[in-house]
Amino acid sequence: MSRTGIILALIVCGILPPAHAAEDEDYARSRRRLIEANLPLTPEEAARFWPIYDQYWKELSALTARREAYYVELGNNFDSMTDEHAKRIVLEHISLEEERYRLLRTFFPKFATAILAKKAARYYQIEAKIQAAVNAEIAERIPLIK
C-alpha cells in the first residue's frame, strides 16, 4: 500500500482526524469504495452486506475513538511516563484490541450469512490489510518509550 493509501487508511480508521465533517464523509466513502473494488458482490449480496457493514463501522468507530484517546494520552505523558502509568496505558490498549477482536468475532457470522463464508473471509482479509497499514503507520510515527 502506498503512503497515500496508508494515510487514507489512517483517516478513515479515525487515527488521523480529517479537516472537517464533510471530509470525514468523503473518507468514509473512499474506504467503502476500496472495499467495493476488492469485494465483488451481486446486487442481492450488496443489499444484505452493506447494512451489516454500516453497523460494524459504527461500532468500530466507537472503539477507534477510544484508541485515539489512548494515543493522545501516550503522547501527553511521553516525557514523564511512570511505570504505573505505562502499565495502565498498555493494559487499556490490550483491552481495546480484545474488544476489536470480539467485534470481528461477533460480526463474522452475520457477514457469512449475508454473503457466505468465503466472501466474508475475503472481506476480513481486506479489513486486516487496512488494520495492518494503520498499525504500521502508527508504529512508524510513535517513538519507543524512554
Side-chain angles (χ1 to χ4, degrees):
M1 183 175 276
S2 70
R3 185 159 182 80
T4 302
I6 291 169
I7 291 170
L8 176 62
L10 285 169
I11 291 168
V12 297
C13 290
I15 304 304
L16 294 177
H20 50 78
E23 287 183 9
D24 188 31
E25 290 176 22
D26 288 342
Y27 296 125
R29 280 191 297 257
S30 294
R31 184 181 198 280
R32 189 175 177 126
R33 282 193 303 267
L34 176 69
I35 294 167
E36 287 173 338
N38 290 284
L39 183 66
L41 299 173
T42 66
E44 296 81 18
E45 289 171 328
R48 294 187 304 265
F49 174 82
W50 290 110
I52 297 167
Y53 170 84
D54 291 340
Q55 182 60 39
Y56 167 77
W57 183 245
K58 180 180 174 185
E59 292 185 36
L60 183 62
S61 294
L63 286 178
T64 300
R66 288 179 47 211
R67 184 179 184 188
E68 185 176 325
Y70 157 82
Y71 290 115
V72 168
E73 184 177 1
L74 179 64
N76 289 341
N77 296 285
F78 188 78
D79 291 327
S80 61
M81 186 70 61
T82 64
D83 283 338
E84 191 57 39
H85 197 199
K87 179 180 175 182
R88 187 172 52 78
I89 288 174
V90 169
L91 291 176
E92 174 64 17
H93 178 71
I94 292 168
S95 175
L96 287 170
E97 286 299 302
E98 289 171 339
E99 289 182 49
R100 189 175 66 80
Y101 279 111
R102 271 194 294 275
L103 187 64
L104 287 168
R105 186 177 297 116
T106 298
F107 272 85
F108 184 76
K110 296 173 186 181
F111 285 123
T113 300
I115 60 173
L116 300 179
K118 186 175 177 181
K119 282 190 179 179
R122 181 181 178 100
Y123 167 66
Y124 271 50
Q125 286 180 305
I126 296 164
E127 285 292 333
K129 287 177 182 260
I130 292 170
Q131 188 64 40
V134 169
N135 288 341
E137 180 68 17
I138 291 168
E140 182 179 315
R141 296 179 78 207
I142 297 177
L144 296 175
I145 295 173
K146 298 176 188 176

